[in-house]
DNA sequence: ATTACTTACGTATGACGTAACGATT
DNA sequence: AATCGTTACGTCATACGTAAGTAAT
């Protein structure tokens, strides 16, 4: 096992082809330089240089070792620089949790913007429901979550990034699709509703239930699912109809139509993002800065 | 400027997540270990570890630096070994970069042939994606790369060594597997597609995207990964389905099935190899000569 | 005789280990 | 009270520089 200084010394001698000149370049005298090279040769068990009393040349093994030595020295500089860039947020890794639907709105826009402006930031994307994201945040498994609602924990910071209205997902050829106008909530309530179960996606379940409750409607809930994907599969199979965020229409599920829902606010479903306030990840901070701008801009292009 | 021993110490502390245990592993006491880490941190001007009095964790910069430190330490060992091989009169060495999938086709055949016919040539094999191989070629870190596509640099020579078709990787029991016939591209496009990110594996990303684009299909890309391995893990986890080269089926990943893709050419995915035209490595030249013959022969035995 | 690298020797920097300290659970 | 990391201090190893030595032109 040798030292980096021995590598530096060896490279200098190989390049100068002289112990004297190399020593001058390294701001030292020749004797210690000679000894360092000897130690290096002893530690790897080979002669790297042939010293004829007039010139110094590399052995074949020395030529190979010289290339490797240069690369190692270069890497030692690069490693420090890379770490400093990470600390400044110019490079690094952001681990992100996101719900299936989030990928279709401002979230995707944000990923692209960060990738374009800070190409040295890597993403690790994992799809998970809100509760799983909360656990993952607190457990330090992700840096940022795009979720429904914000967890109450006071170590978590968050902000609203997007809000949208609800639409009605119905099987193709469904009665409500034939009305020629957006159905009323009252009419929707007369059909079987496929909705989220309360446990895995509490936010969305309560949103839908309270929507009907406030209108004094009591629809028939036929199924409890945990993901929009499966919800839409059930709709496509004719099991029932569902209220889903508008973004879900982008999933283009087979045998499903989406209908506007009359007289409902367009900011009912909120997408938040959340992160640990005590995160030391500078890349996260930089990426959140870009998110601020993307969120501000996104309103102008929602009509895509 | 730090020392290799400081890197060794840092890696040990990061792995053990404890100064005490790391010190025991390094056959020393904790105080000097603490001081070495402090010196390392001072020399690069960053905190690499956060010490809460109960646990030691890596800062984001520390995580990156840990990876670099491991690579540097690995290279210090490799450098000595290479030099020793040369000194023992080996005919030479060829440093080869290859993508994960390449190992399962003509690449493996070539390695065996060279080893049989030129037993004095040593291989240094490193798995890396195409972009990393290009950088490594230009940086002189490898002599030969087995990659997707050829880099435009005019100092690089290359040739086509293998081509194959795409197959569809789906989770076991997936809808597409129940069709009883190869799915159409149109049907594949209706599911979430797990694909490469554009940055690390540009060739493959563009291949898949353009395939859908020409058929006027707009599938939903759900994840960006950098390696086939992780791609298949995501497929097995049910995150989505993926288009992969036929060779990937040899990986036998758990909970993943491979389906033929109907009506697609069988030479869509090309494997090239590339090398520096100004390379002076005689072993490389000899090994490339054998590659010519292996490529010519390989067509006759693709039915394995 | 001169030039270039190696060996010998005295000095000083610094790395280790033991011991004391501070902080957290 | 106990555990873990940091600071303090005395000792010893190691690397430097000067000086002497050896070999080749």
């Amino acid at each position: 096992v040798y030292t980096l200084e021995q590598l530096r010394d060896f490279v200098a001698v190989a390049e100068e082809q002289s112990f004297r000149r190399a020593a001058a370049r390294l701001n030292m005298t020749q004797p210690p330089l000679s000894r360092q090279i000897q130690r290096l040769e002893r530690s790897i068990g080979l002669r790297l240089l042939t010293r004829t009393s007039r010139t110094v040349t590399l052995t074949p093994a020395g030529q190979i070792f010289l290339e490797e030595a240069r690369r190692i020295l270069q890497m030692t500089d690069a490693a420090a620089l890379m770490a400093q860039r990470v600390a400044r947020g110019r490079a690094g890794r952001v681990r992100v949790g996101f719900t299936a639907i989030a990928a279709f709105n401002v979230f995707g826009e944000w990923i692209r913007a960060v990738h374009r402006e800070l190409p040295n930031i890597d993403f690790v994307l994992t799809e998970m429901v809100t509760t799983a994201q909360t656990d993952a945040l607190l457990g330090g498994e992700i840096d940022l979550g795009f979720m429904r609602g914000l967890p109450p924990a006071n170590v978590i910071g968050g902000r609203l990034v997007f809000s949208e209205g609800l639409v009605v997902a119905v099987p193709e050829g469904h009665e409500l699709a034939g009305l020629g106008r957006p159905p009323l909530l009252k009419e929707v309530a007369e059909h079987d509703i496929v909705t989220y179960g309360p446990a895995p996606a509490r936010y969305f379940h309560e949103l839908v239930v309270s929507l009907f409750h406030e209108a004094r409607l009591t629809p028939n809930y036929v199924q409890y699912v945990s993901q929009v994907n499966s919800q839409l599969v059930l709709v496509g199979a004719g099991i029932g109809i569902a209220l889903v965020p508008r973004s879900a229409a982008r999933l283009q599920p087979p045998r499903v139509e989406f209908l506007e829902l009359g007289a409902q606010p367009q900011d009912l479903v909120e997408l938040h993002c959340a992160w640990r306030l005590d995160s030391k990840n500078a890349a996260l901070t930089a990426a959140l800065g870009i998110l601020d701008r993307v969120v501000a801009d996104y309103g102008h292009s929602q009509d895509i």
Side-chain angles (χ1 to χ4, degrees), chain A:
Chain A
V1 262
Y2 44 87
T3 73
L4 287 175
E5 264 146 31
Q6 284 165 8
L7 292 184
R8 264 182 273 272
D9 295 347
F10 170 67
V11 170
V13 174
E15 284 177 355
E16 300 287 344
Q17 300 208 333
S18 155
F19 280 70
R20 279 200 99 70
R21 287 193 296 273
R25 196 171 97 179
L26 296 166
N27 295 315
M28 63 195 296
T29 54
Q30 315 90 347
L33 179 58
S34 290
R35 287 191 296 261
Q36 290 290 26
I37 301 296
Q38 288 165 16
R39 276 201 197 87
L40 175 61
E41 288 178 324
R42 209 175 313 131
S43 77
I44 65 176
L46 298 171
R47 286 194 81 83
L48 299 173
L49 297 165
T50 50
R51 296 87 152 159
T52 76
S53 65
R54 218 47 176 179
T55 176
V56 175
T57 56
L58 287 163
T59 63
Q63 289 174 22
I64 298 296
F65 195 78
L66 175 60
E67 295 174 25
E68 298 298 318
R70 282 203 183 102
R71 285 201 54 226
I72 291 171
L73 293 174
Q74 189 187 340
M75 283 187 64
T76 59
D77 296 337
L81 285 174
M82 177 65 84
Q84 283 159 5
R85 293 177 58 197
V86 169
R88 290 200 196 102
R90 302 281 313 157
R93 184 178 304 155
V94 182
R95 299 162 301 173
V96 186
F98 64 102
T99 61
I101 312 185
F104 292 90
N105 49 48
V106 67
F107 172 75
E109 200 63 38
W110 171 70
I111 295 277
R112 279 189 290 277
V114 173
H115 183 67
R116 188 174 56 241
E117 298 177 34
L118 297 172
N120 286 311
I121 289 184
D122 296 318
F123 287 105
V124 179
L125 303 182
T126 312
E127 182 188 324
M128 36 176 103
V129 297
T130 295
T131 50
Q133 286 186 45
T134 304
D135 294 344
L137 266 180
L138 293 173
E141 297 158 35
I142 61 175
D143 300 300
L144 184 65
F146 284 80
M147 55 179 65
R148 303 293 180 189
L150 284 173
N154 57 6
V155 296
I156 302 267
R159 63 160 296 172
L160 175 67
V161 293
F162 185 62
S163 59
E164 61 187 332
L166 288 173
V167 294
V168 188
V170 301
E172 274 179 2
H174 189 269
E175 174 184 345
L176 287 177
L179 290 176
R181 58 169 172 79
L184 301 173
L185 191 61
K186 178 167 170 293
E187 293 164 331
V188 171
E190 289 165 358
H191 297 82
D192 290 345
I193 307 288
V194 178
T195 187
Y196 285 103
R202 199 164 167 232
Y203 170 89
F204 214 83
H205 176 76
E206 289 180 355
L207 184 76
V208 171
V209 168
S210 69
L211 188 69
F212 284 112
H213 190 70
E214 284 169 15
R216 310 214 187 289
L217 297 168
T218 54
N220 178 32
Y221 301 111
V222 292
Q223 266 282 7
Y224 292 92
V225 298
S226 62
Q227 289 182 333
V228 189
N229 293 321
S230 25
Q231 203 175 15
L232 294 174
V233 169
L234 294 175
V235 170
I239 305 292
I241 67 176
L243 292 181
V244 297
R246 183 180 301 276
S247 296
R250 301 274 191 94
L251 285 167
Q252 302 186 352
R255 296 180 300 281
V256 175
E257 287 185 68
F258 294 90
L259 308 176
E260 293 296 318
L261 185 56
Q264 290 299 324
Q266 289 304 304
D267 58 355
L268 207 57
V269 189
E270 297 183 331
L271 180 69
H272 296 85
C273 78
W275 61 90
R276 284 187 71 118
L277 289 172
D278 58 355
S279 171
K280 300 279 186 345
N281 189 336
L284 171 64
T285 310
L288 282 174
I290 293 180
L291 180 62
D292 286 339
R293 212 197 53 233
V294 172
V295 167
D297 288 354
Y298 194 69
H300 308 303
S301 55
Q302 281 197 35
D303 50 326
I304 296 174

